[in-house]
Amino acid sequence: MAEKTNNDADSKLIGLLGQFDDPESLVAACNEAREAGYKKMDAYSPFPVHGIDPAIGIKRTILPLIVLGAALSAVFVGLGLQLYTNSSAFDALTPFPGYPFKISGKPIFSIPANIPVTFEIIVLTSAITTFLGMWILNRLPMFANPLHRISRFKRVTNDKFFLCLEAKDEKFNRSASEDQLNKWGAVAVEEVRQDLTDTDLPKWIPTAAILGAILLLLPPAAIFSQWGQTNRHPRLHVVPDMDWQHKFKTQTMSPNVANGRDEVDLLYADLRSARRPVDGAIAFGSLDIDSELNYGVKQDFAHTISFRSNVRASLSDDSKKDEAKGTEAGDEAPAAEATENMEQWVTTFPQGVEVTEDLLTRGQQRFNIYCAACHGYSGQGNGLVNQKAMALAANGDATWTSARSLHDADVKGDAKNPVGRIYDTITNGRGNMGPYKAQIPVEDRWAIVAYVRALQETGLKSPGADDAAAEETKDEKSEEVSEDENSEEEKSEEDSAEEETKEEDKAADDASEEDKTEQEKKDDA
Amino acid sequence: MHETRPAKITSPVVSLGNGYIRTIPVAAIVAAVGIVVSILFSGGLGARFMHAYLTNYAFLLSICLGCLFFVTIMHLTRAGWSVTLRRIAELYAMCVVPMALLFLPILITVLTSNDILYPWVDGGWSMGDGDASAQAAGFVNTLPVNERPPFEQLKYGFLNPGFFAIRWVVYFLIWGGMAAFFLFTSLKQDKTGEAKLTHRMQAFAAPAMIVFAASLVFSSFDLEMSLEPFWFSTMFPVYFFAGAVLSAWSTITLTALWFQRTGRVTDEITTEHYHDMGKMMFGFIVFWGYIGFSQFLLIWYANIPEETFWYNWRINYPGWKTLSYVLLIGHLFIPFLAMMGRTVRRNRNFMFGASIYLLVMHWLDHFWLVMPHYNHYVGGGIEGRGWPTFNPIADLACTVGMIAAFIAVFCVICRDRPLVALQDPRLGEALNHEVH
């Protein structure tokens, strides 16, 4: 046998292996060994033997508890994952915003809908924990076991039973332990030795590993080689059902369902492939019956508005007839200058819009994005677009109405331009200014209104105009503004850029005065 | 040291002895008193009583069917460990035969064109809420079939009194036949000890299981789902089945513990068996919850009115809402956590309590299935009256009476028959059963 040729220097004694012929004597021997005080030992058998665990003193595994812990934490992980991915409530807390996904009109987060995913995550976590836990607790994987070098041990998968007393055990003693094994009924006792001579990795393993790594690089290399290449072949359709679905795309024509080739028989007579929503249907998030919030118009005048969602309009049909003004205004947008009723605009911020520092910051940011191009960063009406356009207009190359200074006496103050009206200006446009309702959501519009009011309160004037000029009539003032702009237009582009930065600084200063402004506004209210 | 027990029955007492003779009259009297009290308190032999009766009938029938399933599946899988418990299940399964007699009150109400129980017996159930007052007064507002709404005519093909009666005759023939075959073959084996009888039962179990499954599906449709002929759920039979098997497991455990406490079959049923029964109960607690939730989730998600109303009645009205939560927590969460551990499952006192607890929960489950229907159709509308139509004395008396009747029936079936299979070839396996 192999181990006989080894001398003690080449190998280390690992333990003693006793062979038994039936499970009963194995269990008996295990009991004896445990009673004799052995702790490090293991029994091997072809099939699970009842009662062997207590016999070799194996305590019940803690694996179930570990799995229970993992499963319970999976409940929170599962629910948390869905709460996080489905909700935008964490935008401020996390780098990636959630993706609120409304399905079947169900709430964004609802327990029943999240049970299946949570359940699957629990099952997955438990299974993986059980599997890995079993490996770790059993100290697997073990690539080699000296027991396999013993030829008689091979029958352990067939019909023989073994008890191995390990040399690490305090009680272990080469000759005494052998005697004990014999006494407990072992039919044969053999040394288990670990070979210390040949512990190097077989040479083919590193070679194979390098080769494997190279092979793994091939697919990415192949993909990379095609990067940026053009290909004249038509696209491969791997899943044709998905590429050509049996459905009508929106914004296309009604399909022709005629059987014959020449006939035209449209599926839908109105030529559209998509059906229009049922009368009175309201798209998600577009319920706009709060006239103050959505239109800047007082509740009392709500009947003069044609609501997008049409709900309110039909509700207030009767009161419409009574109201003379309302009939006059008809269904026209409230911006119609000729019939504009100054009474209708809300003078305070509607319910749901709270003027806070956050809102003003947001408003400043949005203003700088959407409005500053024409009105300038401080609202004086000298934005870059305006400057350029005025220059062109001066040469007769374009027609342009100058963007108004937001500090005009006409545009300022509750009497002339209450918040509701500014809101309406943004929403529906005014005069030559276009509407921004498509670009800017309701909340942001109010934020801009708040910021515009803040700008106006600071009382900034056009550059070059002194305090006295501020008292002049608005006509003169606007002339001045245009003059200014004309002169500015001659500056080089770099200068304009500088101007911009200056204005930005000013805007920042404005922001610092916001607190005060806010207080004033409250006082006004 | 591990020893192998010889495959021999060693308990001194393996039958009820004279016990059953004393029990039967007592149980019969309790049954009679209970039923009479229940009828009195529910205002006569009307809809209120019949719903209480149906609740309890479904509860008891599901136990019998669960036990029948136990016997069949054990033969089908050639299970050795359960041999010492199987006789108890066989005896309970045999109770379906007398249960056929107890079905007569339900069948008679249907056959007399009386829709106090099943609205489909008469026409017009699909229109509005039905004429609640007329129904309460016991009027029969039969519409000729061809004048009923098309939807009702369609369902009439299946839901009509004649076919209903035929189906139930078939169900009881199937169940009674299976139960009798298993019980009598097993009793014969007690005397002869022939292994071929085991093979015969095993061969019988496979086709029987298929027929059993089909009959269980349709009987659960008939018994409880057709209370709302509008509502349908293909998951319902599985739900019924999950509860039935869970309560069968509990009943078998409870009965075994009771036998052993009264000095019968003391040696054959061991802690190992209780441990395994506990595992089975645990499994079916989860299964019940899984199926119950699956049924709910699909309906909740699709949100179609003709499906959601069933749940609406049960979870959006006071009382019923509470009961729904009681079931969710008491029938799923609490037992799930409580029965998870190995130590508790090996504790006989715990298993005794757990079995009773689960049976109570199972009863509540059937109450939850049946009673909202009474509230809605007959009790004056679920919105108006809601929980108050709960009539505790009528329900309690009916339950006590029906369970007493069931015990009497069980004693009649047991008589002095052995309570454990005496000579099953796999007896040794069961006696040496060991659980990990």
Side-chain angles (χ1 to χ4, degrees), chain B residues 313-395:
Chain B
W313 292 356
R314 284 165 178 79
I315 57 186
N316 282 340
Y317 291 101
W320 298 113
K321 184 179 184 169
T322 317
L323 185 57
S324 296
Y325 278 111
V326 165
L327 279 177
L328 177 69
I329 295 166
H331 201 313
L332 179 63
F333 293 157
I334 292 177
F336 175 80
L337 291 174
M339 297 203 68
M340 195 158 0
R342 171 190 155 95
T343 330
V344 290
R345 293 199 287 243
R346 294 179 78 86
N347 179 329
R348 292 178 186 220
N349 289 331
F350 176 84
M351 288 297 284
F352 193 81
S355 303
I356 294 177
Y357 175 84
L358 286 171
L359 285 171
V360 171
M361 281 299 148
H362 183 58
W363 186 89
L364 282 178
D365 189 17
H366 280 287
F367 187 83
W368 182 82
L369 287 176
V370 171
M371 277 300 173
H373 167 263
Y374 169 76
N375 256 181
H376 184 75
Y377 277 104
V378 197
I382 198 154
E383 296 86 355
R385 304 272 290 282
W387 196 240
T389 42
F390 181 48
N391 185 340
I393 298 181
D395 281 316

Side-chain angles (χ1 to χ4, degrees), chain B residues 89-109:
Chain B
E90 283 165 357
L91 291 167
Y92 273 116
M94 195 60 196
C95 291
V96 290
V97 177
M99 282 305 278
L101 290 179
L102 291 181
F103 188 71
L104 285 180
I106 297 172
L107 191 62
I108 288 167
T109 48

Side-chain angles (χ1 to χ4, degrees), chain A residues 104 106, chain B residues 126 128-129 151 228-232 298-314 316-317 376-377:
Chain A
S104 309
K106 297 290 189 278
Chain B
S126 69
D129 283 352
F151 181 65
E228 310 296 350
F230 238 121
W231 189 76
F232 52 92
L298 295 191
I299 290 175
W300 176 83
Y301 234 125
N303 210 0
I304 303 171
E306 63 252 43
E307 290 174 351
T308 45
F309 79 95
W310 196 86
Y311 277 109
N312 183 27
W313 292 356
R314 284 165 178 79
N316 282 340
Y317 291 101
H376 184 75
Y377 277 104

Side-chain angles (χ1 to χ4, degrees), chain A residues 380 382 405 407-408 458-485 487-488 499 506:
Chain A
Q380 289 150 306
N382 57 352
S405 165
H407 303 285
D408 259 10
T458 58
L460 270 183
K461 295 150 227 100
S462 321
D466 54 24
D467 278 353
E471 308 295 323
E472 288 172 19
T473 59
K474 68 166 202 286
D475 291 331
E476 278 164 2
K477 197 175 175 184
S478 44
E479 267 170 38
E480 253 180 48
V481 171
S482 10
E483 265 171 39
D484 268 341
E485 277 153 5
S487 57
E488 263 169 25
E499 180 68 31
K506 255 181 235 160

Side-chain angles (χ1 to χ4, degrees), chain A residues 427-475:
Chain A
T427 309
N428 297 313
R430 192 169 305 283
N432 284 355
M433 176 180 151
Y436 281 83
K437 61 168 171 273
Q439 287 99 316
I440 312 177
V442 171
E443 291 75 22
D444 284 350
R445 279 180 238 159
W446 283 111
I448 294 177
V449 171
Y451 182 66
V452 167
R453 292 313 292 272
L455 278 180
Q456 292 175 337
E457 291 292 330
T458 58
L460 270 183
K461 295 150 227 100
S462 321
D466 54 24
D467 278 353
E471 308 295 323
E472 288 172 19
T473 59
K474 68 166 202 286
D475 291 331

Side-chain angles (χ1 to χ4, degrees), chain B residues 58-72:
Chain B
F59 168 69
L60 295 171
L61 184 70
S62 72
I63 293 177
C64 296
L65 293 179
C67 288
L68 186 54
F69 173 77
F70 180 96
V71 179
T72 319

